[in-house]
Amino acid sequence: MKNEASVPTALGLRGGPLRSSEPVGLGPPPSVLRSLLEEAADYLVVHRDFGACLETCQRGCEKLGSPGQAAEGEDSKDLKCFLCVVGIQALAEMDRWREVLSWLLQYYPHPEHLPPKILELCILLYSKVKEPQAILEVASSWLREPANRDLPEYGAIFELHLFRVLLPLHCWTAAEDMTALCAKEEQRQAASQAIATARQQQEESLQKTQEPQRENQGGTFCRKLLALWKLLRWLLESVVDHVLSLPLKKTILIALILCLLMVRFDPACPSSLPFFYKLAHIFYRIRGTIFSPCYLSSYNS
């Protein structure tokens, strides 16, 4: 996260610039306030003392809020903006980027009154650290404010909010509502096309994701069915083996032999009587052995 926290510096925002093509001049604030701003910039860039840098920015913002400062002819709004820009960079360098909005709201209680440069920096920061939802409400409130629509930075803020916040979060309805607020027809058309393209890409991605899932579900069902069939077959074979392993199978086998003999030989024939007597004697002996108490106790154990 430390690498992500240094995103303002990587974006060319060190010392206050918010765009690579738009360097921010620190301006000529007089006396103590200008020295505080320069001191904070030195702590940030030269000494890399981010805690001291943040403390200096806070002192400067507090002085700007004290009575009598605006009467001296200072451009307090720009000076506060520059101090907040440096303070945001200090928080990001300390991996405290989650505190940026709460820190800013101390000096800008109403999000719709944030300077465009600060809002632009916040959108870039939270987009870079993959947390665009943190700035969603603030940026939406700023863009819906009627007083901000006439600002020259409105179009740039709208594009950043659309491509860095709304589209990554798949907020299609909010993006369409924001597009209706644009005054320029070309920008509205470009935004509508970008929204349609993003939605189509999401739908295609979902379809590609669902197809393998359906195939996997079908294959899983077949595997489960095959496993169930194997289990049933194993249970059936086990039952058959268990039944055949019982001593009762001997009695059943003898009964089958007797039936065959009964069918083959005529019981009324005198010549077959000795043979049947012998078979009956063998059957009684086997039955007595099977149902004897010793045999049953050994079988039950």
Side-chain angles (χ1 to χ4, degrees), residues 99-112 114 138:
E99 304 175 25
V100 166
L101 284 180
S102 60
W103 183 78
L104 282 174
L105 292 178
Q106 298 179 71
Y107 311 112
Y108 297 96
H110 304 286
E112 60 271 15
L114 281 171
V138 173

Side-chain angles (χ1 to χ4, degrees), residues 1-6 92 95 97-98 128-131:
M1 197 65 234
K2 185 64 177 174
N3 294 333
E4 292 179 345
S6 62
D95 200 14
W97 52 270
R98 294 180 180 86
K128 185 67 176 180
V129 297
K130 308 300 183 183
E131 295 289 342

Side-chain angles (χ1 to χ4, degrees), residues 278-291:
K278 292 181 180 179
L279 286 178
H281 180 68
I282 293 172
F283 173 74
Y284 290 142
R285 289 185 60 184
I286 292 175
R287 188 178 64 176
T289 303
I290 292 176
F291 293 99

Side-chain angles (χ1 to χ4, degrees), residues 224-237:
K224 289 182 178 180
L225 186 61
L226 182 60
L228 180 61
W229 168 250
K230 290 182 179 179
L231 177 62
L232 291 175
R233 188 178 65 179
W234 177 78
L235 289 174
L236 182 61
E237 291 177 353

